[in-house]
Amino acid sequence: MILIMLTVAAALAFAAVSHLVTRYTLNQQARGRKLYQVGVTAAEAGHYDDAIEAFRAALTCDPVNSQYQLSLARALRDSNDPRRLEEAESYLIALWQRTPQDAAVNLALARVAAHRGSIEDATRYYHNAMYGVWNSDLDANRNR
């Protein structure tokens, strides 16, 4: 009888903890989405320092979100700070290693290579972007 009661108590405790973890994760993802939107708005206005800060914060809420990583890399690149270009490239290379066919990632890498003056790499990544997979609106993404 005691064993059954202990088993039931353990199951209830596990369910409660599981519920709390799920709720925490959902709250973090919602917070990440809000911070991401702040970053998008800042980047569109040309406020790259604010965008970078917001995208970094969004990534702390959802560290594996590839859209947040791509947006952070773009903001780092577009800030025109040569010190940030290397960081942008590291995010993009990590994304490219996961999905080398992703056209948006290839386009962003091409633009980093162009900033660096690496014509060969820029050409290769632009080519990959032209023939890659676009996950959303093709025309809007090509303008990024």
Side-chain angles (χ1 to χ4, degrees):
M1 180 70 158
I2 293 176
L3 183 58
I4 293 173
M5 290 174 46
L6 288 175
T7 304
V8 169
L12 289 173
F14 178 79
V17 169
S18 179
H19 174 74
L20 289 174
V21 168
T22 300
R23 191 169 170 138
Y24 174 79
T25 301
L26 291 173
N27 284 339
Q28 284 294 93
Q29 289 172 343
R31 184 172 181 263
R33 284 189 298 273
K34 288 177 186 174
L35 289 164
Y36 172 76
Q37 195 54 51
V38 168
V40 168
T41 301
E44 288 173 349
H47 302 282
Y48 296 111
D49 289 338
D50 294 336
I52 290 166
E53 184 179 325
F55 291 140
R56 284 189 202 282
L59 273 171
T60 64
C61 296
D62 191 356
V64 296
N65 189 306
S66 58
Q67 185 60 47
Y68 297 176
Q69 293 171 11
L70 178 59
S71 296
L72 174 58
R74 286 176 175 156
L76 289 163
R77 177 201 66 210
D78 293 344
S79 72
N80 289 320
D81 182 342
R83 296 167 298 181
R84 290 178 169 171
L85 200 57
E86 188 173 320
E87 184 181 358
E89 187 174 35
S90 70
Y91 277 107
L92 293 169
I93 292 295
L95 288 168
W96 185 87
Q97 288 173 339
R98 283 184 275 174
T99 55
Q101 74 283 1
D102 188 313
V105 171
N106 278 287
L107 180 58
L109 277 165
R111 291 184 175 156
V112 167
H115 275 284
R116 290 189 183 278
S118 177
I119 304 303
E120 185 178 314
D121 286 342
T123 301
R124 177 170 45 96
Y125 287 123
Y126 277 127
H127 183 268
N128 290 346
M130 288 188 320
Y131 296 104
V133 175
W134 291 95
N135 295 328
S136 59
D137 185 16
L138 178 64
D139 292 328
N141 277 311
R142 283 191 173 154
N143 290 328
R144 289 185 170 222

